[in-house]
């Protein structure tokens, strides 16, 4: 298999599905049905191909693998350059695993413009995978921005009542950051003479330039994560997005920020990263405590989970900027775990939203009586979100905090309060939705999970437990790449032009 | 033989999975058989392993597989088998098995039997993982896992709002303790570079006296780590300040109270301190802290216990108080005595809870002792076993509690430290209170005239055998466990029995000091206990008007005790309500007004304004456009001339 351009296949296979959907003809019902099936099969095949990546991945190497390089714009030294290392591999997998789940989750929920909807998701998959594979800034930027377009449409077309407001808020926030990143990429191009990412990663930028580049990248990634205080687009976007849109938003799009930090900010700009680490810690700790409290006050279940996402991503940003192997692996793991768990929680919300068409927590209650399977699935994901040991949520949070404690005990102390707060708002949510007696007839008539929903949740539960009980499958492949970055940081720390670090 | 620990630990998990996932399919009876069968086998394995290790000293670590491998942090799932874990392994499996069987009878009328049995088995699995952990994180896994099982079982009757509230409270208060535990683990990793018990314990002596920066302060490394870990123990073992969840946890079915909130889970904190004795021994300030918390809790909880009217709440506070004894024993380095009391307590307190369950069962669910009375003729077996449990609890020879409690108080007296004396005085006073509330319970429930209504009284019946046989087993334990175990746990055989599982520095007298105390010290707890019984007899049998008169005479004190020192009210006032208030403020004001107001909404509003004004400029009059153009050109040209040429 090694001679096949696997990454290009994974990236562009969904486009093939798009082409197939586009040539569909016939009456509306048949087209919709065929579009669903094509989208499902395409995304499933893509997923299987991406598993080959995982199986063939050399876990001892920190280097980029499955590299593909082709001259594109030779005069400008811009190339088509793809490759994955232990860091990006799992984000590719996350994208390819969540897309078929989204397709299945939208099976009956989406009834209008099904064809366009499925096209949007397949294009989105291409953009996400391409972004994580890209090793050239121009390609990276194209995919990075490209992701916005289908997502903008998914929220704006298939969203809820205030979808236009949410879509614009989402678009403006994220675009504002991206523009600054584009400037940074231009600066790197001027400085390096090439837009190749691998070259840039090995380039030593002058400290003054590092500061500006770091801030420009930060503006873009912080919005994506999202970090406090640029998080307010997230609750609105989630609330208005259709269920599958929320799944991708929480599952993959939020990870683009964390991926950016760990791929670019830290290894490329080590001095500036060390200098700004206290800023990141502060914002992350505020995010954890502030948004956890805000989550407590929510009456809309999607908003509650959206705010909890911000808090959970706070652990990620702390972990990354500790620059310790434990912290960074924890952050990576937390992103993967959150990708599965928050996606699953949004699916859980979707299940009951599809039945009752309201997101108001108070309208439910006592669901355990008529939906025991649902109660069990929700319980597992809730516990993973709370970070119970044995679930995926624990490993990431724990490692990130272990790393944080090494660097700064105050950060670890304050961030660990998130452990208490997350338990409060999640258990409180669970109690209001699931426990108690049923008082309303429409709630009483709700049916338990159907087989299609079971098919979605069962593998996700399995993954959550697998990640919690045997996390080595995930920690091991990423170890060399993380160790490489840590070495790089250590080396930068030794060089004389790092005044900020010398003081510590 | 050590491999038998694997089935001992994992059979309960198997039972839980079968009953939990397929309980509906296989039915109630099959679920009961599967879970009780798995637990029975596990108990056999547990006892065999105990025999192998405690008697033949075949200590071992049974690896399962790798867990976490990140940076320098390498952790494995493994079962550490030494005397300490073997004692717990045997006790937990046996008591859990007995309570599984009891539950078959107690929960016979319940509509969700498979779920209940599954939860009980799941709990047992987590508890066994906790006690056999070979590293801090696996212990934390078991620790949070039992917390989860406790949450599920307290909220078992999920239709009741009070049960749901109690379940959340239990989980959250435990999480506050776990917050300390987690930070303690981080500190240990920071200091030792590993989280496996063996290397940490090996390096602990060298760490003594070293300092590190914690929250901006230069602090003694081991003291900080131990106190943080102990905060976890305080949450799990319901010590003062973090105890508020335990009385509320009585919302769960009574077998749960017996298994989790008396015999096993709540003693996990005590187990943890004993397990970490190689660290605590080098952190004298942390040990002192443990003694003060333990001593204070034992008298605080006992004082609240004398004013409660709910039969289960009295026993709950009693548990809290007895855990205080165990802690101050550990704090004066008498870990062996602490573990001894843990084991004897597991039997007699489980017995008391199950007997109380039998009473409640007989009274058709009534738990208020003011509505009982005169029951002894109707349920004589329950009455007798309750006496046995109470005698053991009050420390009357030759019952189990006498040996362990006496040992604790003697060792505490012999420790010679100020905090030790503090704990000794409070411990003796608490012994008086313990006997008093135990006999108050007995007299109110079983003696005097019945205060129940006719209908309830008509239905009073002795429990079926499936509930009585577990009571006999536990009663036998409460009778003989003290005498049997004394030699091994704290007597001459202790050194050989414990092996390397417990470390005590030569400078700490620990249990060895108990032999040298004056005679009055040994006698005092017994005297206090007898005095408590006599007082209870006087107040509730002889002069029944005394309690009411005393409550009137000392009304503030009575209300203070009745309301549990107002802990719930105070916490509600300073934590719960402000948190919800802050949550709303941050959301509406912080996110809504400040961030969105100045951020996206504000900007779009300003942009909107500007565009409206801009559109006004498009008046359609050519001369206005021309005018604007001329001005623009003028500004541009002048800027170019002045600044560029300069």
């Amino acid at each position: 298999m090694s001679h096949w351009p696997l990454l290009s296949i994974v990236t562009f296979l969904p486009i093939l599905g798009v082409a197939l959907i586009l040539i569909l003809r016939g009456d509306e019902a048949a087209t919709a049905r065929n579009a669903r099936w094509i989208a499902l099969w395409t995304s499933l095949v893509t997923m299987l191909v991406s598993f080959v990546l995982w199986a063939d991945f050399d876990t001892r190497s920190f280097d980029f693998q499955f590299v593909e390089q082709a001259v594109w714009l030779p005069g400008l030294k811009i190339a088509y350059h793809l490759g994955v290392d232990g860091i990006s591999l799992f984000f590719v997998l996350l994208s390819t695993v969540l897309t078929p789940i989204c397709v299945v989750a939208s099976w009956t929920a989406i009834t209008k413009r099904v064809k366009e909807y499925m096209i949007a998701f397949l294009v989105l998959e291409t953009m996400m995978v391409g972004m994580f594979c890209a090793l050239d800034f121009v390609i990276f930027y194209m995919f990075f921005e490209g992701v916005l377009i289908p997502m903008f449409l998914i929220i704006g077309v298939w969203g809820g009542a205030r979808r236009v407001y949410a879509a614009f808020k989402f678009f403006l926030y994220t675009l504002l950051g991206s523009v600054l990143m584009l400037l940074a990429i231009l600066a790197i191009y001027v400085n390096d003479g090439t837009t190749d990412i691998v070259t840039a990663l090995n380039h030593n930028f002058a400290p003054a330039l590092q500061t500006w580049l770091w801030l420009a990248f930060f503006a873009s990634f912080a919005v994506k994560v999202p970090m406090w205080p640029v998080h307010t687009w997230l609750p609105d976007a989630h609330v208005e997005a259709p269920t599958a849109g929320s799944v991708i938003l929480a599952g993959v799009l939020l990870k683009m920020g964390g991926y950016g930090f760990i791929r670019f900010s830290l290894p490329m700009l080590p001095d500036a990263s060390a200098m700004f680490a206290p800023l990141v810690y502060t914002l992350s700790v505020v995010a954890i405590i502030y948004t956890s409290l805000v989550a407590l006050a929510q009456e809309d279940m999607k908003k509650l989970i959206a705010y909890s996402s911000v808090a959970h991503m706070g652990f990620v940003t702390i972990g990354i900027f500790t620059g310790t192997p434990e912290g960074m692996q924890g952050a990576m793991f937390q992103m993967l775990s959150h990708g599965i768990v928050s996606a699953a929680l949004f699916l859980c919300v979707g299940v009951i939203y599809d039945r009752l068409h309201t997101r108001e927590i108070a309208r439910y209650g006592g669901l355990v009586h008529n939906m025991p399977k649902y109660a069990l699935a929700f319980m597992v994901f809730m516990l993973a979100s709370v970070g119970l040991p044995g679930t995926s949520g624990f490993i990431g949070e724990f490692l990130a905090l272990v790393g944080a404690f090494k660097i700064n005990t105050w950060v670890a102390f304050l961030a660990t309060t998130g452990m208490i707060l997350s338990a409060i708002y999640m258990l409180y949510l669970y109690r209001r939705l699931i426990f108690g007696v049923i008082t309303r007839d429409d709630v009483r008539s709700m049916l338990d999970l159907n087989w299609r929903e079971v098919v979605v949740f069962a593998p996700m539960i399995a993954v959550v437990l697998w990640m919690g009980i045997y996390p080595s499958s995930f920690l091991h492949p990423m170890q060399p790449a993380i160790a490489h970055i840590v070495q790089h940081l250590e080396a930068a720390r030794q060089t004389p032009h790092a005044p900020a670090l010398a003081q510590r | 033989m050590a491999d038998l620990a694997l089935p001992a630990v994992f059979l309960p998990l198997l039972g839980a999975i079968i009953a939990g996932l397929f309980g509906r399919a296989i039915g109630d009876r099959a679920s009961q058989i599967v879970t009780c069968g798995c637990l029975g086998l596990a108990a056999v394995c547990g006892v065999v392993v105990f025999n192998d290790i405690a008697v033949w000293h075949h200590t071992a670590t049974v690896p399962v597989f790798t867990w976490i491998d990140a940076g320098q942090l390498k952790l494995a799932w493994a079962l550490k088998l030494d005397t300490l874990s073997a004692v717990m392994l045997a006790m937990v499996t046996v008591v859990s098995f007995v309570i599984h069987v009891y539950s078959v009878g107690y929960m016979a009328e319940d509509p969700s039997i498979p779920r209940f049995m599954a939860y009980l088995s799941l709990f047992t699995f987590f508890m066994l993982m906790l006690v056999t952990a070979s590293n801090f994180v696996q212990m934390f896994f078991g620790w949070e896992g039992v917390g989860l099982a406790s949450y599920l079982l307290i909220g078992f009757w999920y239709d009741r709002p009070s049960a749901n509230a109690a379940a959340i409270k239990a989980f959250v208060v435990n999480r506050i303790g776990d917050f300390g535990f987690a930070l303690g683990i981080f500190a240990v990793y920071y200091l030792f570079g590993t989280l496996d018990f063996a290397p940490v314990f090996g390096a602990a002596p060298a760490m003594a006296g070293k300092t590190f920066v914690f929250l901006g302060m230069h602090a003694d490394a081991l003291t900080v780590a131990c106190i943080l870990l102990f905060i976890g123990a305080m949450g799990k073992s319901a010590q003062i300040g973090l105890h508020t969840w335990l009385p509320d946890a009585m919302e769960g079915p009574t077998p749960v109270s017996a298994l989790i909130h008396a015999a096993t889970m709540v003693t996990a904190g005590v187990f943890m301190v004993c397990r970490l004795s190689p660290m605590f021994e080098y952190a004298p300030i942390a040990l002192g802290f443990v003694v003060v918390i333990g001593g204070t809790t034992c008298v605080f909880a006992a004082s609240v216990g004398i004013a409660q009217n709910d039969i289960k709440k009295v026993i709950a506070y009693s548990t809290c108080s007895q855990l205080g004894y165990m802690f101050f024993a550990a704090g004066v380095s008498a870990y062996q005595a602490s573990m001894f009391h843990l084991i004897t307590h597991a039997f007699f307190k489980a017995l008391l809870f199950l007997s109380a369950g039998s009473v409640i069962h007989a009274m058709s669910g009534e738990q208020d002792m003011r509505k009982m009375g005169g029951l002894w003729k109707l349920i004589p077996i329950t009455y007798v076993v309750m006496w046995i449990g109470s005698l053991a609890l009050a420390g009357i020879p030759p019952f189990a509690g006498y040996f362990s409690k006496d040992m604790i108080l003697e060792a505490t007296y012999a420790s010679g430290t100020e905090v030790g004396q503090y704990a000794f005085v409070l411990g003796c006073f608490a012994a008086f209170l313990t006997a008093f509330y135990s006999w108050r319970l007995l007299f109110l429930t079983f003696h005097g005239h019945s205060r129940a209504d006719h209908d309830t009284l008509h239905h009073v019946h002795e429990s079926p055998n499936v509930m009585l046989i577990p009571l006999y087993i536990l009663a036998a334990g409460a009778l003989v466990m003290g005498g049997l175990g004394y030699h091994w746990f704290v007597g001459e055989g202790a050194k050989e029995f414990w092996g390397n599982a417990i470390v005590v520095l030569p400078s700490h007298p620990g249990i060895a000091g108990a032999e040298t105390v004056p005679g009055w010290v040994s006698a005092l707890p017994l005297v206090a206990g007898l005095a408590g019984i006599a007082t209870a007899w006087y107040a509730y049998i002889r002069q029944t008007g005394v309690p009411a008169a005393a409550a009137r005479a000392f009304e503030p004190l009575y209300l203070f005790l009745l309301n549990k020192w107002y802990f719930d009210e105070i916490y509600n006032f300073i934590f719960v309500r402000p948190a919800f208030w802050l949550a709303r403020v941050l959301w509406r004001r912080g996110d809504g007004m400040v961030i969105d107001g100045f951020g996206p909404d504000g900007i779009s509003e300003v942009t909107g304004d500007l565009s409206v004004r801009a559109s006004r400029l498009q008046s359609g009059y050519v001369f206005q456009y021309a005018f604007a153009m001329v001005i623009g050109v003028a500004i541009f040209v002048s800027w170019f001339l002045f600044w560029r040429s300069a």
Side-chain angles (χ1 to χ4, degrees):
Chain A
M1 293 295 280
S2 56
H3 300 296
W4 290 64
L6 273 181
L7 290 180
S8 293
I9 295 176
V10 176
T11 308
F12 293 106
L13 204 56
I15 296 295
L16 187 70
V18 171
L20 288 176
I21 293 178
L22 280 174
I23 57 172
L24 282 179
R25 291 290 177 271
D27 68 272
E28 204 175 326
T31 318
R33 196 174 60 241
N34 290 333
R36 286 189 189 110
W37 279 110
I38 292 173
L40 179 62
W41 278 112
T42 317
S43 54
L44 280 176
V45 172
T46 313
M47 181 174 85
L48 291 177
V49 178
S50 71
F51 285 161
V52 176
L53 289 176
W54 193 7
D56 280 2
F57 190 81
D58 178 5
T59 58
R60 282 156 303 175
S61 165
F62 63 82
D63 224 343
F64 290 99
Q65 301 177 30
F66 309 102
V67 174
E68 292 168 32
Q69 206 158 8
V71 180
W72 183 23
L73 301 169
L76 299 170
K77 288 195 181 168
I78 296 171
Y80 175 80
H81 189 179
L82 300 182
V84 288
D85 64 354
I87 294 168
S88 42
L89 171 70
F90 288 108
F91 292 112
V92 172
L93 289 173
L94 192 61
S95 315
T96 56
V97 167
L98 285 179
T99 306
I101 287 175
C102 286
V103 172
V104 177
S106 318
W107 209 257
T108 51
I110 300 296
T111 48
K112 53 167 194 176
R113 296 173 186 272
V114 177
K115 209 169 119 178
E116 290 82 354
Y117 182 85
M118 293 301 165
I119 290 174
F121 266 92
L122 291 175
V123 171
L124 188 58
E125 184 176 17
T126 291
M127 297 292 174
M128 295 186 301
V129 174
M131 193 214 77
F132 289 123
C133 295
L135 287 182
D136 187 285
F137 273 118
V138 174
I139 302 185
F140 172 79
Y141 189 76
M142 280 165 51
F143 284 128
F144 192 85
E145 293 304 293
V147 167
L148 287 181
I149 300 163
M151 199 65 216
F152 176 72
L153 293 175
I154 288 167
I155 297 174
V157 176
W158 293 274
R162 293 176 72 226
R163 56 182 184 263
V164 177
Y165 170 75
F168 271 99
K169 203 169 173 181
F170 164 69
F171 202 78
L172 286 178
Y173 249 125
T174 45
L175 195 69
L176 184 76
S178 321
V179 168
L180 293 172
M181 186 172 76
L182 183 62
L183 285 176
I185 290 174
L186 289 175
I188 291 172
Y189 180 59
V190 170
N191 206 278
D192 263 13
T194 172
T195 54
D196 192 58
I197 288 175
V198 182
T199 315
L201 289 178
N202 293 317
H203 184 90
N204 283 325
F205 291 94
L209 182 62
Q210 280 197 25
T211 307
W212 291 111
L213 289 178
W214 193 92
L215 285 172
F217 276 115
F218 181 72
S220 175
F221 299 147
V223 170
K224 277 283 187 330
V225 166
M227 294 179 76
W228 186 87
V230 288
H231 64 280
T232 58
W233 63 270
L234 186 71
D236 283 311
H238 270 308
V239 163
E240 300 308 328
T243 300
S246 287
V247 168
I248 290 292
L249 197 56
V252 184
L253 263 57
L254 299 194
K255 310 302 172 299
M256 288 162 62
Y259 173 74
F261 282 134
I262 210 163
R263 165 67 73 231
F264 302 115
S265 301
L266 232 52
M268 203 167 69
L269 313 165
D271 300 335
S273 294
M275 189 168 91
F276 286 111
L279 171 74
V280 175
Y281 294 153
T282 311
L283 294 182
S284 310
V285 164
V286 171
I288 291 170
I289 297 174
Y290 179 108
T291 50
S292 294
L293 282 169
V294 173
L296 191 57
Q298 298 308 309
E299 281 132 28
D300 177 316
M301 17 184 206
K302 268 192 151 179
K303 264 198 176 162
L304 194 154
I305 296 168
Y307 275 111
S308 84
S309 288
V310 182
H312 283 128
M313 294 306 283
F315 290 103
V316 172
T317 42
I318 287 179
I320 290 174
F321 280 90
T322 59
T324 59
E326 295 87 358
M328 289 167 72
Q329 274 189 282
M332 282 287 300
F333 202 89
Q334 171 80 345
M335 283 196 270
L336 298 178
S337 157
H338 180 263
I340 300 289
V341 173
S342 68
L345 284 172
F346 280 115
L347 286 170
C348 283
V349 170
V351 165
I352 50 177
Y353 181 79
D354 288 347
R355 286 161 173 70
L356 211 58
H357 298 286
T358 173
R359 295 182 313 266
E360 198 190 331
I361 296 168
R363 283 283 281 108
Y364 297 89
L367 291 178
V368 66
H369 291 276
N370 47 354
M371 303 178 74
K373 281 186 233 164
Y374 175 73
L376 175 68
F378 199 165
M379 170 70 76
V380 172
F381 299 124
M382 173 195 83
L383 293 173
S385 170
V386 165
L388 196 84
T391 64
S392 60
F394 171 71
I395 309 283
E397 233 172 75
F398 178 77
L399 288 175
L401 290 171
V402 162
F405 196 93
K406 277 183 159 179
I407 303 297
N408 186 326
T409 48
W410 268 113
V411 173
F413 178 82
L414 293 171
T416 310
T417 56
M419 236 178 78
I420 304 170
L421 294 169
S422 70
I424 299 176
Y425 63 71
M426 285 310 287
L427 293 181
Y428 188 46
L429 170 72
Y430 194 81
R431 171 192 170 181
R432 286 182 288 171
L433 291 178
I434 308 287
F435 290 145
V437 285
I438 300 181
T439 50
R440 292 167 197 268
D441 287 335
D442 51 359
V443 176
R444 190 170 293 119
S445 63
M446 287 166 71
L447 296 175
D448 204 352
L449 299 181
N450 58 36
W451 66 268
R452 193 169 44 75
E453 287 158 340
V454 171
V455 166
V456 170
F457 284 126
M460 295 182 94
I461 291 177
V463 171
V464 163
L465 295 178
W466 174 17
M467 289 177 78
I469 294 167
Y470 191 70
S472 296
S473 323
F474 303 88
L475 289 172
H476 210 228
M478 66 176 76
Q479 197 145 21
I482 299 278
H484 184 64
I485 296 176
V486 173
Q487 265 174 20
H488 200 85
L489 290 174
E490 291 292 330
R493 215 168 291 195
Q494 310 297 333
T495 53
H497 65 66
L501 271 169
Q503 288 164 9
R504 294 205 290 160
Chain B
M1 295 298 262
D3 287 341
L4 276 180
L6 286 172
V9 173
F10 289 100
L11 274 173
L13 178 65
L14 180 72
I17 290 172
I18 294 174
L21 295 183
F22 310 107
R24 265 162 214 266
I26 61 177
D28 292 354
R29 179 58 64 184
S31 304
Q32 288 165 341
I33 292 170
V34 166
T35 48
C36 291
C38 284
L39 247 299
L41 283 174
V44 171
C45 297
V47 171
V48 171
V49 170
F50 170 75
N51 187 54
D52 194 42
I53 287 161
V55 180
W56 302 109
H57 305 292
H58 295 153
T59 56
T61 301
V62 183
V64 184
F65 55 80
T66 312
W67 186 15
I68 302 176
D69 182 355
Q72 285 107 51
L73 181 61
K74 291 187 178 28
L75 293 171
W77 295 104
L79 309 182
K80 182 186 174 77
L81 298 172
D82 59 3
T83 308
L84 203 51
S85 52
V87 165
M88 293 297 284
L89 189 66
M91 184 276 278
V92 171
T93 48
V94 168
V95 172
S96 178
F97 170 63
V98 167
I99 289 170
H100 269 73
V101 173
Y102 178 91
S103 305
V104 171
Y106 190 85
M107 302 297 284
E109 309 295 315
D110 200 274
S112 11
I113 289 171
R115 188 163 61 91
F116 185 76
M117 301 309 282
Y119 287 173
L120 275 190
S121 291
L122 184 69
F123 164 78
T124 312
F125 163 70
F126 281 126
M127 189 70 204
L128 294 173
M129 287 301 274
L130 192 166
V131 298
T132 56
S134 71
N135 61 59
F136 284 91
V137 188
Q138 188 182 331
M139 189 184 230
F140 193 68
F141 166 80
W143 192 268
E144 290 249 292
V146 291
L148 165 69
S150 162
Y151 160 78
L152 292 171
L153 283 164
I154 295 168
F156 181 75
W157 286 313
Y158 44 62
D159 284 351
R160 300 182 184 171
S162 58
N164 289 327
I168 291 184
K169 188 171 174 184
F171 198 91
V172 170
V173 175
N174 269 296
R175 266 275 158 134
I176 294 169
D178 293 354
F179 164 76
F181 193 170
L183 283 173
I185 294 176
F186 304 151
V188 169
Y189 182 64
Y190 174 74
L191 296 169
F192 294 93
T194 174
L195 285 173
D196 275 316
F197 285 143
V200 169
F201 294 167
M207 192 57 69
K210 294 220 173 113
T211 59
F212 81 122
V213 181
F214 181 68
L215 302 185
M217 299 169 289
H218 283 276
D220 183 69
L222 277 178
T223 303
V224 168
C226 288
I227 288 181
L228 286 171
L229 292 166
F230 177 66
I231 290 172
M234 283 174 67
K236 193 72 39 191
S237 295
Q239 293 300 288
I240 190 162
L242 295 178
H243 68 281
T244 53
W245 65 273
L246 184 60
D248 290 24
M250 297 302 129
E251 284 291 339
T254 304
V256 173
S257 314
L259 177 61
I260 301 185
H261 306 122
T264 57
M265 183 186 86
V266 288
T267 60
V270 179
F271 170 78
M272 182 229 256
V273 175
C274 294
R275 167 58 85 205
L276 301 181
S277 64
M279 283 174 69
F280 274 84
E281 279 297 287
Y282 293 96
I285 297 175
L287 281 178
F289 184 66
V290 174
V291 174
V292 171
I293 294 290
T296 311
T297 307
C298 90
V299 86
F300 147 74
S303 75
V304 175
I306 62 173
Q308 300 306 306
N309 294 316
D310 183 315
I311 186 168
K312 282 180 74 181
K313 289 236 163 113
V314 175
I315 309 178
Y317 276 104
S318 162
T319 305
C320 196
S321 164
Q322 296 301 310
L323 291 165
Y325 279 100
M326 297 176 209
F327 272 118
F328 72 69
V332 298
S333 300
Y335 303 100
Q336 299 91 336
S338 174
M339 285 301 296
F340 189 30
H341 197 54
L342 190 160
I343 300 294
T344 57
H345 175 261
F347 281 91
F348 65 70
K349 190 53 67 65
L351 174 64
L352 280 173
F353 263 119
L354 293 187
S355 322
S358 184
V359 171
I360 296 164
H361 194 72
M363 294 290 291
S364 315
E366 182 58 60
Q367 302 195 6
D368 193 334
M369 294 190 293
R370 287 171 299 187
K371 296 182 183 159
M372 297 178 183
L375 289 174
W376 72 273
K377 273 185 204 157
L378 300 168
I379 43 174
I381 300 173
T382 306
Y383 176 60
V384 170
V385 292
M386 197 116 188
W387 259 89
I388 295 173
S390 300
L391 285 166
L393 171 63
I396 308 297
F399 295 90
Y402 163 74
F403 295 95
S404 49
K405 192 187 275 183
D406 229 35
M407 191 67 206
I408 285 178
L409 288 168
E410 287 172 14
T412 308
Y413 181 83
S415 72
T417 58
E418 283 85 6
V419 288
Q421 301 315 308
Y422 169 80
F424 176 73
V425 172
L426 293 187
C428 288
F429 182 54
F432 167 79
L433 295 175
T434 305
F436 178 77
Y437 66 63
S438 301
W439 266 264
R440 172 175 175 266
L441 185 154
L442 277 176
F443 293 145
L444 278 177
T445 311
F446 293 102
H447 291 261
H449 297 291
S450 175
R451 296 174 294 277
D453 57 62
H454 183 74
D455 207 31
T456 316
L457 210 54
H458 186 68
H459 286 112
V460 172
H461 55 279
E462 190 59 272
S463 300
N465 271 330
V466 70
M467 288 167 70
L468 290 180
I469 291 167
L471 290 180
Y472 299 149
I473 297 173
L474 293 172
L479 262 171
V480 302
M481 200 53 97
L484 274 185
Y486 187 84
H487 174 75
W488 299 110
F489 277 82
V490 291
E492 279 137 33
K495 208 173 180 66
E496 197 199 331
F497 179 74
W498 291 107
N500 297 325
I502 285 174
V503 171
V504 180
L505 286 188
S507 55
H508 294 166
I511 52 166
E515 291 159 13
T516 60
V517 296
W520 66 268
V521 173
S522 310
L524 192 58
L526 181 59
V527 172
L530 292 173
I533 297 173
T535 315
W537 175 77
Y538 183 77
Y540 291 93
I541 299 286
R542 186 70 194 271
Q543 293 285 338
T544 45
V546 169
R552 267 196 309 278
F554 305 102
E555 200 181 350
L557 178 66
Y558 172 70
L559 286 178
F560 183 64
L561 296 181
L562 184 67
N563 289 302
K564 307 143 193 168
W565 293 29
Y566 294 103
F567 265 103
D568 281 328
E569 287 76 7
I570 293 167
Y571 282 178
N572 201 25
F573 185 72
I574 58 176
F575 295 121
V576 181
R577 275 195 281 166
F580 276 90
W581 175 80
L582 189 62
R584 278 190 298 274
V585 168
L586 289 180
W587 178 34
R588 299 280 185 204
R589 307 271 153 131
D591 264 25
M593 281 166 69
V594 179
I595 297 178
D596 276 354
F598 287 103
D601 291 356
I603 289 171
S604 67
E605 204 168 291
V606 171
T607 323
D609 268 11
L610 285 179
S611 59
V612 169
R613 282 184 208 165
S615 66
R616 282 202 204 111
L617 295 177
Q618 298 169 18
S619 53
Y621 295 110
V622 177
F623 71 89
Q624 285 184 355
Y625 292 170
F627 184 66
M629 242 174 82
V630 169
I631 288 179
V633 169
I635 291 171
F636 188 68
V637 169
S638 42
W639 176 78
F640 200 74
L641 285 177
F642 284 95
W643 273 271
R644 290 309 293 271
S645 58

